[in-house]
Amino acid sequence: MPLGLGRRKKAPPLVENEEAEPGRGGLGVGEPGPLGGGGAGGPQMGLPPPPPALRPRLVFHTQLAHGSPTGRIEGFTNVKELYSKIAEAFRLPVAEVMFCTLNTHKVDMDKLLGGQIGLEDFIFAHVKGQRKEVEVFKSEEALGLTITDNGAGYAFIKRIKEGSVIDHIQLISVGDMIEAINGQSLLGCRHYEVARLLKELPRGRTFTLKLTEPRKAFDMISMRSAGGRPGSGPQLGTGRGTLRLRSRGPATVEDLPSAFEEKAIEKVDDLLESYMGIRDTELAATMVELGKDKRNPDELAEALDERLGDFAFPDEFVFDVWGAIGDAKVGRY
């Protein structure tokens, strides 16, 4: 989609329009495929997983977030395989694994496992807990939600904006998986699809959310996290390198991202939240990778259309992404 001379007005955010904040949230690992393609039953595009002999022989330690002995997992090359290995280690159905955090058992949205795992990181797996059904009256266009997903078919709440419609409903918490809206199952949907559905709900009417919360350890019971300001905790990937997980092709061991790439990814992730109501560091990293060698916004737009056309990014968003990458290149942080 060459940008040409005309620039469309900024599209309204699908869920909310927060002020840009530095952060590293998001779980949508790899390059998103067609709508719903990231789901548990969706078609797998791209290269098949490499044979076991070619996979990185790295061993990671893991526990269930609510408490368990320590397990050892290895030989995975993407998030779905990681969840399968965790389920196997703890003799659980793989569908029970909701998401993972690194180096903390708490539902900490700053520590979500994204597309990279530090070689010395400890993985905590959060599994399904109590299910609940909540009626919400949509009194405002923006509900105050930021949505992310686990890269394997579950979308959940990453942040609740203070003072928003959802913030006043105590039964809804950060970390809750959104199973259904008005009876429509969302299992297998990507985060941007869920955000779009929430945005399209008519104002002035009541809708029903079916949610599943992560099972909590004793010290987390009765705690309701608002998903604090991103970037407040230690940076993920504390090891000497990281294992980068991809949905297409094998996982690879890489050096930590450069300072330019880290800052560019943060800025693009902020833009994703502002325009679309989602956070996804792996998607942001893919966009930075596509844009860092492009000579102008038109080339970036064409690359985004070719690789990420399902998102239908508006022109002004592409201009802002181009600007964010350019600012990071020259050190304007």
Side-chain angles (χ1 to χ4, degrees):
M1 70 172 183
L3 298 180
L5 298 177
R7 293 174 63 181
R8 294 197 294 272
K9 293 183 178 179
K10 179 175 179 178
L14 295 181
V15 179
E16 68 174 326
N17 190 355
E18 294 187 340
E19 293 181 3
E21 298 174 343
R24 297 195 71 233
L27 288 178
V29 299
E31 297 120 5
L35 292 180
Q44 298 300 304
M45 302 179 63
L47 299 175
L54 297 181
R55 301 182 187 186
R57 305 307 297 176
L58 301 173
V59 177
F60 292 88
H61 291 88
T62 182
Q63 288 182 356
L64 299 180
H66 63 274
S68 75
T70 299
R72 290 161 56 92
I73 54 174
E74 61 179 316
F76 55 90
T77 191
N78 56 49
V79 168
K80 287 186 178 181
E81 288 184 3
L82 167 61
Y83 291 166
S84 294
K85 293 288 185 179
I86 291 172
E88 181 181 337
F90 295 107
R91 299 180 181 179
L92 294 170
V94 68
E96 290 296 301
V97 182
M98 292 177 61
F99 57 85
C100 296
T101 50
L102 300 180
N103 307 315
T104 180
H105 69 287
K106 296 182 179 180
V107 182
D108 186 338
M109 296 294 104
D110 294 334
K111 309 292 180 59
L112 289 171
L113 185 152
Q116 297 186 7
I117 306 174
L119 299 186
E120 297 176 8
D121 283 340
F122 197 105
I123 301 171
F124 288 90
H126 299 255
V127 300
K128 291 180 179 178
Q130 181 178 346
R131 301 181 71 183
K132 50 196 177 184
E133 194 166 293
V134 184
E135 288 195 348
V136 180
F137 179 71
K138 190 176 182 181
S139 58
E140 304 289 341
E141 286 294 335
L143 292 169
L145 289 176
T146 298
I147 309 298
T148 190
D149 67 44
N150 69 351
Y154 293 164
F156 58 94
I157 298 171
K158 187 177 192 309
R159 188 178 306 162
I160 298 174
K161 189 174 183 179
E162 187 176 356
S164 64
V165 172
I166 297 298
D167 189 41
H168 291 98
I169 304 175
Q170 290 298 309
L171 282 176
I172 301 177
S173 298
V174 165
D176 287 352
M177 183 180 73
I178 304 177
E179 282 197 32
I181 300 174
N182 287 336
Q184 177 183 348
S185 174
L186 301 178
L187 300 183
C189 289
R190 293 301 310 273
H191 48 359
Y192 61 94
E193 297 177 273
V194 176
R196 183 180 298 130
L197 287 172
L198 290 169
K199 174 63 178 176
E200 291 173 350
L201 291 170
R203 182 177 178 179
R205 295 188 185 180
T206 298
F207 64 94
T208 302
L209 283 176
K210 184 178 290 185
L211 306 166
T212 299
E213 65 181 38
R215 185 173 175 182
K216 294 180 174 64
F218 179 77
D219 63 345
M220 294 189 291
I221 293 175
S222 79
M223 179 187 71
R224 183 179 191 253
S225 169
R229 188 178 182 86
S232 57
Q235 183 163 325
L236 303 185
T238 56
R240 291 167 294 176
T242 63
L243 179 68
R244 184 171 183 186
L245 307 175
R246 291 182 171 87
S247 60
R248 304 178 188 182
T252 56
V253 177
E254 301 177 355
D255 292 334
L256 292 173
S258 67
F260 146 66
E261 290 171 326
E262 287 280 2
K263 182 51 63 176
I265 289 168
E266 287 181 7
K267 292 168 75 72
V268 172
D269 201 22
D270 291 339
L271 289 171
L272 283 170
E273 183 169 22
S274 178
Y275 278 84
M276 302 183 67
I278 64 174
R279 290 194 77 91
D280 188 334
T281 50
E282 185 65 13
L283 174 59
T286 298
M287 297 174 75
V288 170
E289 185 176 348
L290 290 173
K292 64 184 180 182
D293 61 349
K294 298 298 183 289
R295 295 171 296 181
N296 55 59
D298 280 339
E299 289 188 1
L300 173 60
E302 291 173 359
L304 292 177
D305 266 357
E306 182 178 350
R307 183 78 68 87
L308 304 169
D310 291 325
F311 286 83
F313 297 123
D315 287 352
E316 189 169 343
F317 173 78
V318 177
F319 273 107
D320 286 348
V321 169
W322 170 257
I325 295 173
D327 286 347
K329 276 184 179 180
V330 299
R332 287 198 295 266
Y333 298 159

